[in-house]
Amino acid sequence: MPPAPRAAALAAALLVLGTGTGCSLLAAPDTRTPGNPRPIPPKQVVLAAAQAMDDAGGARIEVVQEGPGGRRTASGTLVWGARDEGELAVTDEAGTGRLALKDGEIDLAYQGGAAKHADRSTAESLDPGAAPGPDGYAGGWMTALISTPGNRAYAIAQNVPLGSLGGEQLAGMTVAHYQGTAAVDEFFGTDQELSPQRRSATVDWYRRHGVTAIGFDVWVGPGERLLRLRETVRGSAGTTVTTTDVPSIGTGDPTPSEGG
């Protein structure tokens, strides 16, 4: 799996933020986050959560996408670092299937059908709504399934001006909720993991679908634990919301759940 999530850059960013704000990362977040007398900048909290997720080496994820095209779900485990593996049960307009990731190679097979193959750079071609061929962008569903939550949280923290919505209840605990919006050009324009061609194709997809900005939400719990990520896209066809929950972390065997 690619550097997850850009460990050297992330550590440097955390160091700069820690010295610049005078706030201890140990204080962000904890059960006192709502009303904490020492507020922690949202960017700092999310970067710390991204680093903690990276250090965990794996996580169980549950992804739900709802929009004009219907409802899609996926659940299973991703493992990164020394191992690059994943197994997800998926359900979408093409049916129920299983996505397997191994050393950057991806196979997606639906019940009764032959497996379709791609690698990280062509993962979007596996989307049921993708145009023929391996190139281009199809809305980011497949990219979300094979991206580590820490990598995505890092990208949000670095490219999205985040504000705090205070504390709320999630997964039986009080957590911090952060929210922000970024222009499509700005969010993807600085992504150095995309080739110039893929970056152009991605931005072009959003433009063609009438999307100028993307909304992001991040939920962080006690112990700098990343619990949920959400992406909201409003365009000419309507609104699509993709939510990724992280119910558990660790490097267990990548075994998908039954039923997706």
Side-chain angles (χ1 to χ4, degrees):
M1 189 166 286
R6 310 173 180 94
L10 181 51
L14 286 170
L15 177 62
V16 170
L17 283 167
T19 57
T21 64
C23 297
S24 169
L25 288 178
L26 296 178
D30 60 20
T31 55
R32 297 172 295 137
T33 296
N36 192 321
R38 297 177 60 197
I40 311 298
K43 180 176 181 178
Q44 187 176 357
V45 176
V46 177
L47 282 174
Q51 181 65 70
M53 179 60 66
D54 180 39
D55 293 342
R60 184 169 188 79
I61 64 170
E62 297 175 355
V63 190
V64 176
Q65 183 180 87
E66 296 183 284
R71 189 174 191 266
R72 295 171 164 181
T73 66
S75 61
T77 303
L78 294 177
V79 178
W80 55 86
R83 297 160 59 193
D84 176 14
E85 300 177 31
E87 288 282 351
L88 297 169
V90 301
T91 302
D92 54 34
E93 57 269 39
T96 299
R98 182 161 300 208
L99 184 151
L101 169 68
K102 178 72 172 180
D103 297 329
E105 300 298 312
I106 308 162
D107 288 293
L108 175 62
Y110 292 94
Q111 290 182 352
K116 297 190 294 183
H117 181 77
D119 56 31
R120 288 190 177 279
S121 65
T122 59
E124 290 289 293
S125 67
L126 298 178
D127 191 302
D135 298 324
Y137 187 77
W141 169 247
M142 287 297 167
T143 299
L145 299 188
I146 64 170
S147 299
T148 74
N151 258 345
R152 294 171 61 202
Y154 175 88
I156 293 170
Q158 290 291 73
N159 299 300
V160 182
L162 294 170
S164 175
L165 297 183
E168 60 186 63
Q169 293 298 304
L170 179 66
M173 66 188 83
T174 301
V175 306
H177 182 184
Y178 304 104
Q179 187 176 76
T181 302
V184 169
D185 289 5
E186 295 177 2
F187 185 77
F188 291 104
T190 58
D191 191 338
Q192 298 304 310
E193 293 187 1
L194 295 177
S195 67
Q197 294 80 8
R198 180 50 56 89
R199 189 180 302 118
S200 176
T202 300
V203 172
D204 179 67
W205 186 93
Y206 283 103
R207 287 175 176 168
R208 287 188 289 105
H209 288 79
V211 180
T212 59
I214 304 173
F216 296 92
D217 290 80
V218 184
W219 286 261
V220 179
E224 300 167 357
R225 182 178 166 192
L226 183 64
L227 292 170
R228 175 178 288 174
L229 297 166
R230 178 171 291 162
E231 179 179 306
T232 303
V233 175
R234 295 180 174 86
S236 54
T239 300
T240 298
V241 179
T242 305
T243 302
T244 300
D245 282 297
V246 189
S248 63
I249 59 175
T251 55
D253 292 333
T255 303
S257 65
E258 295 298 327

